[in-house]
Every structure is written in structure tokens, then in C-alpha cells.
Amino acid sequence: MTDIEQKRDRAPVPKDWAYAPAPESRDIVRLRERYGHFVGGEWLEPTETYETISPATEEQLALIGQGTEQDVDRAVTAAREAFANGWSGLPGSERAKYLFRIARILQERSREFAVLESLNGGKPIKESRDVDLPLAAAHFFYYAGWADKLEYAFPNRRPKPVGVAGQIIPWNFPLLMLAWKIAPAIACGNTVVLKPAETTPLTALLFCDVLRQAELPPGVVNIVTGDGRTGAAIVDHEGVDKIAFTGSTEVGKAIQRRLAGTGKKLTLELGGKAANIVFDDSALDQAVEGIVNGIYFNQGHVCCAGSRLFAQESIYEPLVEKLKRRLETLRVGDPLDKNTDVGAINSQFQLEKIQELVEAGKEEGAEIYQPHCRLPEKGYWFVPTVFTNVAQSYRIAQEEIFGPVLSVLTFRTPEEAVEKANNTPYGLSAGVWTEKGSRILWMAQQLRAGVVWANTFNRFDPTSPFGGYKESGFGREGGLHGLEPYLRFDE
Ligand code: NDP
């Protein structure tokens, strides 16, 4: 018997190389049965509740308060008092200490937050652990640094806080969107009333615990939970000076109409239909990773997702071939499993919306490809999907699907790529894959998108501004630009 045969006897070669489950424990998360609103540093008992679930199992996690107009009014009153009674007049270096504290506590408790984020939202734990949490903490660190340097950021313009900021956020990055909103607002001396999305309130409610731990003065940050009605009550409240909204273009437009003529400041971060453009000189294997990250990251629930792939005709076939092969290796399933690449769809509503658009794609004549994968029986799931043979006019090439669905189109020249990429009502982000630096610069100038990534996709950093053109909204979050919506200038 040879050495090799002997070894095989002892440790037989596995029949298949599938990963063994590697579930993250949920024990670190302590859920309460019922949550109220966090107003003036205290928990306010809700008059009405609804249940929040895990989209991966449909299991009920907790009862959540449905915020009424009275609840919003109390929160705004608490925020106004905190603004007037000290927070807005506190030296920037003092405000910064609280932000630094919050950032450090988020880092210390990051596993707890990551598990809860995946449990309530359905996103893979490796994403909440490696993306959402580090970035949320980084935003607080970054804006802590600006709190005492506003005079230098806007020289000779005498920056002052705006007042009470009403902030409404979506369900795709619950804690991260909270950080994007709260960190610059309080760094500038404003106070906040924030409403998390109806389906994903739990990390925002756990964050209230962090605020208490950091001893943030009561009323500086207030969290009121509920559905769109609660959001509308915040928008309409007379005591709110500024609205920051991230969500659908439809609701964004409705908010803009309601605020017209009120004098309230507004920033809108809305939908997208980003072009990810691959030229024939690009490193194809790298581009495939970028395409996968661009559209399947967070189940495609990403406003800047690279949902339209533009492949240069000469490499269309090998690129699509490689992409399909890569899709076979994506692991779809339990969000709490550390091997999972694609988790659960956030809600039944969102799943139905994805299904409807995919059916429309098939009916209009696009060719669908889905890898083999077994989906869990309970919960909301959608197989990562690629559509080829897509015409520009198809709904799947025009509308935001907000799910793991990619539409592949082709182009011949850079001019044609630009024209097709800009042929959308949106303008949030774009990606360019090419070895040529000059082409990257030229493309970046031509593309009507707030963010253009070159040879990468979905990269975020608190120092760089993010926001859209056209129906993707206006105003920037992140970086120096992210301070401006939270300041007024008495010149
Ligand atoms: P919405 O725009 O409805 O939700 C975003 C936030 O606004 C939520 O907190 C929501 O509350 C709140 N809201 C809803 N109606 C109002 C209102 N009239 N006034 C003030 N606030 C309101 O997005 P959906 O969650 O309904 O998703 C619908 C579609 O929007 C998705 O399919 C996707 O295409 C797109 N979307 C885009 C996002 C982006 O980042 N660009 C993010 C989320 C969705 P509640 O959750 O309780 O309804």
C-alpha cells in the first residue's frame, strides 16, 4: 500500500466540497418582548404596537410601537428642549467626546449589533459584521473629528446648527443609515428625531442603549418607531427644521411636495439603477467579482447597486460565461451562517415586488439564468438572477428592482456606453472597469452619477460624499459635504 492510499483509508476524500454550516450564535442578543419609543432619554409606552419578524424564518422577534402624531410631538418637544437647553451651545470639542464615545461603544458591542442586524433584516452576518458595523462606527469617529472644526470647514461663514432634524431611514442598512444621519447632525449641534423603517427597527432601538451608555444628554437623539404614517408626522411637524430622507423616489417626491414653501431644509437620497460598465481591456475575473459584489451584496437591496451590467460586445460571451459559473458558487441561505453570501429578502412585500419585475422581464423577452440552489422552506428568498437579451426599454432595465437581479446589456464604443448608462431617470452611482486611466477619467466626467467607482464597486468611506443626480435625490451625505445640510450660515 502506498503512502497516499494509506492516508485515503484514514481520511476519505469528501464526496462534495460544500461548506459545513457555521452559524453565529444568537445568544449575545437579548430581545425584549415589547419596545416603546425613545424620547427625552426615556422609554415612552406605545399606544399601539405591531410585530417585527425575522425575514429568514418568519419568527416574531418583538412588538414594536406604532408612533402616533402625539408620540412624534413629544419627541420633537424633547428635541427642541435639548437643543435650546445646552446641546447647540456646547463647545464642539465637548460634543465630539460624545460621538467618540458612541463610536467606541459600537465597536465594543459590534457582534451584538451585527447579529441583531442580520436577525431582523435578513442580511448575511459577514456583511453586517464586516461592512455595516465598522462603517457605522467609522461615521461617528469621522464626524466626531469635525465637531470642533466647523469654523475651519466653512471659513468666514459662521456655521450654526439648524435646529431639530427629522430623519427617516429605510430597511436596507438600518444601523448604517442611522449613523449616516445622526453623526453629522449631532456633530453640528442639532438634535434629532429619527424613524427607522417599519421592518427593521431593532438595531435603532438597541442604539438607544448605546446613547444611555455614552451618557448623551436626554433629548439630543429621539427614536420613534412606526410605519409611513409616523414618517409623515415627522415631515409635517412644525417644530422640525430639517428633513433628511433615504428611501424610494415616490415617497421622496411626496415629501418634497409637502415641504414646498415651509422653509424646512431637505435632503433626499433616493433610488438608483446604476450602470456597471465593463470594457474589453479590463481584468475579467476581477470584473466578475465586482459585478457580483455590485448586485448581489445585501441581496441587491442597495440604492447604488450595479443592476445594469454593460458589457463591451467583444467580451460579452466570456464575461457572461464566467459570471454564470461564479453564480453557481454563491451560497444562499441562513443569514446567521458565516458562509452565507446571499441572505433573506427583507419582507414579503419586497419579495413580491422582485417577483413581479422578474415576470415582466421574462414576458418582455429577456433570457433568464438562475444557478441551482436549494432555498429554505420558510422565510423570504430569491435566487440570484441574471437576465441577458435585455433591451433598454424593458422594465428590468428601467425600474429599480431592489433585489438580486442583474440585467445585462451590451455596447461597442465608450460614447455608446455613456449614452446608454445615462439613459435612466436615476443618477446615483456607476462603475467602470478598464485598464486605461484616461478612459476612467473621461467616463467619470460623462456619467451623470453622484459616485463613480473605477475597477471596484460598492466601496464606502465616511470621508467621501455620497448622493445623487436627477431622481436619485439631492444633497450629499459623508465627507465635508455631509456637514452642510445640518448647518445654516449667517453671512
Ligand atoms: P419607502 O420610501 O416607503 O420607505 C423609506 C422610509 O420612509 C421608511 O422609514 C418608511 O416607513 C418611510 N415612509 C413611508 N411613507 C412615508 C411618508 N409618506 N412620509 C414619510 N415617511 C414615509 O420605501 P419602502 O420601504 O416602501 O420600499 C419601496 C421601494 O423603495 C423598494 O422596493 C425600493 O425600490 C425603494 N427603496 C429604495 C431605497 C434607497 O435607499 N434608495 C431604500 C428603501 C427602498 P416604513 O418603512 O414604515 O414604511
Side-chain angles (χ1 to χ4, degrees):
M1 203 186 267
T2 67
D3 278 0
I4 291 174
E5 280 167 333
Q6 269 179 1
K7 274 194 188 133
R8 196 180 292 152
D9 262 2
R10 272 183 252 127
V13 175
K15 284 207 192 73
D16 81 65
W17 292 94
Y19 282 77
E24 175 76 52
S25 163
R26 314 174 27 163
D27 294 350
I28 193 162
V29 169
R30 296 260 173 277
L31 284 172
R32 284 195 237 155
E33 254 172 54
R34 185 184 163 92
Y35 290 85
H37 310 291
F38 188 72
V39 173
E42 302 293 333
W43 290 105
L44 188 70
E45 188 54 31
T47 43
E48 242 183 86
T49 56
Y50 67 91
E51 59 179 52
T52 189
I53 61 165
S54 155
T57 58
E58 297 172 54
E59 153 204 4
Q60 181 184 317
L61 297 174
L63 289 174
I64 304 297
Q66 165 61 43
T68 60
E69 282 181 19
Q70 290 73 30
D71 297 327
V72 168
D73 185 52
R74 286 195 195 176
V76 175
T77 306
R80 283 238 80 86
E81 279 172 17
F83 183 78
N85 297 342
W87 184 253
S88 59
L90 211 62
S93 54
E94 289 302 309
R95 288 199 304 270
K97 287 182 191 168
Y98 292 101
L99 278 105
F100 277 124
R101 239 185 252 173
I102 292 169
R104 280 197 302 268
I105 298 169
L106 280 178
Q107 285 185 322
E108 280 162 19
R109 299 178 65 174
S110 68
R111 201 157 78 87
E112 184 185 357
F113 270 96
V115 171
L116 187 58
E117 197 73 304
S118 289
L119 203 55
N120 197 199
K123 63 172 66 197
I125 185 73
K126 70 175 175 192
E127 289 178 10
S128 18
R129 182 195 62 198
D130 299 345
V131 181
D132 296 61
L133 258 298
L135 277 174
H139 263 82
F140 279 99
F141 275 123
Y142 176 72
Y143 281 109
W146 274 123
D148 61 346
K149 300 176 195 69
L150 300 175
E151 298 281 347
Y152 303 98
F154 304 99
N156 304 320
R157 293 183 68 195
R158 282 181 280 159
K160 301 254 169 29
V162 171
V164 176
Q167 307 184 320
I168 300 162
I169 57 172
W171 40 262
N172 51 348
F173 292 91
L175 186 75
L176 185 58
M177 287 302 105
L178 172 150
W180 279 29
K181 298 271 182 290
I182 293 182
I186 65 174
C188 292
N190 304 280
T191 55
V192 164
V193 176
L194 177 136
K195 186 193 90 65
E198 182 186 356
T199 56
T200 53
L202 289 178
T203 45
L205 293 166
L206 183 61
F207 182 75
C208 300
D209 210 29
V210 172
L211 297 176
R212 279 185 166 176
Q213 218 180 322
E215 295 174 7
L216 188 77
V220 173
V221 172
N222 305 275
I223 309 268
V224 184
T225 51
D227 61 18
R229 290 168 294 172
T230 315
I234 296 176
V235 170
D236 290 341
H237 199 290
E238 286 185 355
V240 170
D241 303 292
K242 186 229 154 23
I243 293 289
F245 172 82
T246 300
S248 62
T249 297
E250 192 193 343
V251 174
K253 283 182 180 175
I255 292 177
Q256 194 173 10
R257 279 195 291 269
R258 292 186 90 97
L259 291 191
T262 63
K264 288 180 194 171
K265 284 185 88 154
L266 175 65
T267 41
L268 295 175
E269 200 266 90
L270 310 174
K273 192 74 190 172
N276 204 358
I277 304 165
V278 182
F279 283 95
D280 58 5
D281 64 343
S282 63
L284 283 198
D285 289 328
Q286 249 169 278
V288 166
E289 289 310 306
I291 295 162
V292 167
N293 174 259
I295 185 65
Y296 304 116
F297 171 65
N298 200 28
Q299 297 72 250
H301 300 330
V302 184
C303 45
C304 52
S307 51
R308 290 181 301 154
L309 168 64
F310 286 95
Q312 196 156 20
E313 263 186 24
S314 46
I315 46 125
Y316 169 78
E317 278 174 20
L319 185 66
V320 170
E321 199 43 53
K322 277 173 188 281
L323 182 62
K324 287 181 177 172
R325 224 181 309 142
R326 178 67 176 87
L327 247 60
E328 290 289 340
T329 67
L330 286 181
R331 292 177 295 271
V332 184
D334 181 7
L336 285 179
D337 190 317
K338 286 168 236 167
N339 294 319
T340 294
D341 297 307
V342 179
I345 299 302
N346 186 268
S347 65
Q348 170 90 39
F349 169 83
Q350 191 57 29
L351 180 61
E352 284 166 11
K353 193 182 156 205
I354 297 168
Q355 285 164 340
E356 185 212 319
L357 277 158
V358 166
E359 281 313 308
K362 285 197 259 181
E363 274 164 30
E364 283 182 306
E367 204 173 292
I368 188 168
Y369 174 80
Q370 292 178 317
H372 306 96
C373 65
R374 206 175 329 129
L375 299 178
E377 274 161 23
K378 281 216 125 193
Y380 314 127
W381 307 93
F382 201 82
V383 180
T385 300
V386 174
F387 272 113
T388 48
N389 258 338
V390 180
Q392 292 245 68
S393 58
Y394 290 179
R395 284 182 69 193
I396 52 168
Q398 289 289 330
E399 294 179 32
E400 185 177 46
I401 302 176
F402 226 62
V405 181
L406 178 69
S407 299
V408 188
L409 299 104
T410 58
F411 68 94
R412 288 183 194 164
T413 63
E415 290 77 11
E416 188 186 342
V418 166
E419 200 166 313
K420 287 181 166 174
N422 287 342
N423 179 19
T424 162
Y426 296 111
L428 194 55
S429 66
V432 180
W433 297 82
T434 174
E435 289 294 280
K436 259 197 157 103
S438 57
R439 187 180 280 158
I440 290 171
L441 296 175
W442 184 82
M443 292 290 290
Q445 280 172 343
Q446 310 298 316
L447 290 167
R448 296 274 292 149
V451 180
V452 179
W453 285 293
N455 294 323
T456 185
F457 210 93
N458 272 343
R459 292 273 155 225
F460 298 96
D461 189 292
T463 63
S464 78
F466 183 88
Y469 279 102
K470 303 193 278 185
E471 294 206 2
S472 293
F474 50 79
R476 293 292 178 265
E477 292 184 307
L480 180 67
H481 304 65
L483 294 166
E484 215 164 329
Y486 291 101
L487 293 169
R488 63 188 169 84
F489 302 97
D490 302 325
E491 282 157 295

